[in-house]
Amino acid sequence: MAEKKADKEKHQTECEEYLDTCEAAWEVINEEAWKLYAQFGGHSEQWYKNNLLQIGHLNVEKHAVLRWNAFLHYESQQAHKENNGGDRLKAHELSAAVKQKWNMMSTEKKIEFTDPLIAELKECKANTKFGTHNVPLEAFGDATQSLQAMEKYGWLT
């Protein structure tokens, strides 16, 4: 009985310490958000606080570009060129045929063929990440494509 009481008191103490530590951390976040707001302005203090809380998720290291991904990207581009204005094929629609080509290649041939493709795909990803984006135009394109798909399948009446 005495052990249970001691464990309960220990647990209660740990919970209180944890909450105190969390409160102190929250105060630090608030202070840092205020410093950012004072230094940069342009956004609300709440915006900076939210940004600080999300930064761990935003800076997650992406995985390396794989040879298979580079090859699939290349084959997708080739299929789109051959498809001249037809419906865009998605990578998953091409992957079975591309996989057969990939499996028929030797390891040396894969390396030789994909070395320049990896550099190209890395550059493409960097352009996507760091390039300027025209959000209104992208939203318009998304809406237009959605409407076209709805018309195509008869969902609009």
Side-chain angles (χ1 to χ4, degrees):
M1 194 68 146
E3 273 185 40
K4 271 190 168 183
K5 187 174 182 178
D7 286 344
K8 188 174 182 179
E9 287 175 3
K10 180 183 175 193
H11 179 71
Q12 182 67 31
T13 305
E14 287 176 350
C15 286
E16 288 172 6
E17 287 177 16
Y18 176 75
L19 291 175
D20 289 343
T21 305
C22 287
E23 192 173 313
W26 188 248
E27 288 175 17
V28 170
I29 290 171
N30 284 328
E31 285 177 31
E32 293 302 318
W34 184 84
K35 288 179 188 176
L36 290 169
Y37 173 70
Q39 182 177 352
F40 297 107
H43 297 285
S44 68
E45 191 175 334
Q46 182 65 40
W47 185 90
Y48 287 107
K49 190 185 308 182
N50 290 342
N51 198 35
L52 285 172
L53 294 171
Q54 293 176 0
I55 207 139
H57 298 289
L58 298 175
N59 291 334
V60 173
E61 179 114 4
K62 303 292 183 198
H63 63 81
V65 174
L66 302 175
R67 293 189 184 283
W68 163 251
N69 292 349
F71 186 72
L72 183 59
H73 178 73
Y74 172 79
E75 290 293 328
S76 297
Q77 287 179 326
Q78 296 307 311
H80 295 311
K81 286 178 185 174
E82 293 170 6
N83 198 12
N84 283 344
D87 286 343
R88 267 185 87 78
L89 299 170
K90 304 233 185 310
H92 73 274
E93 296 169 335
L94 298 168
S95 62
V98 173
K99 184 178 181 203
Q100 286 180 342
K101 283 185 185 178
W102 180 256
N103 288 339
M104 291 180 3
M105 296 169 72
S106 68
T107 304
E108 296 81 24
K109 178 76 174 164
K110 289 176 185 177
I111 292 170
E112 178 186 329
F113 190 79
T114 57
D115 275 344
L117 299 178
I118 288 175
E120 181 182 319
L121 187 56
K122 283 181 180 177
E123 184 179 328
C124 182
K125 287 182 176 228
N127 286 341
T128 301
K129 183 176 181 180
F130 298 114
T132 57
H133 298 276
N134 188 338
V135 175
L137 182 61
E138 291 172 4
F140 173 76
D142 289 346
T144 304
Q145 288 176 349
S146 295
L147 288 172
Q148 287 173 351
M150 292 169 76
E151 286 175 351
K152 178 180 176 180
Y153 295 110
W155 297 337
L156 291 178
T157 56

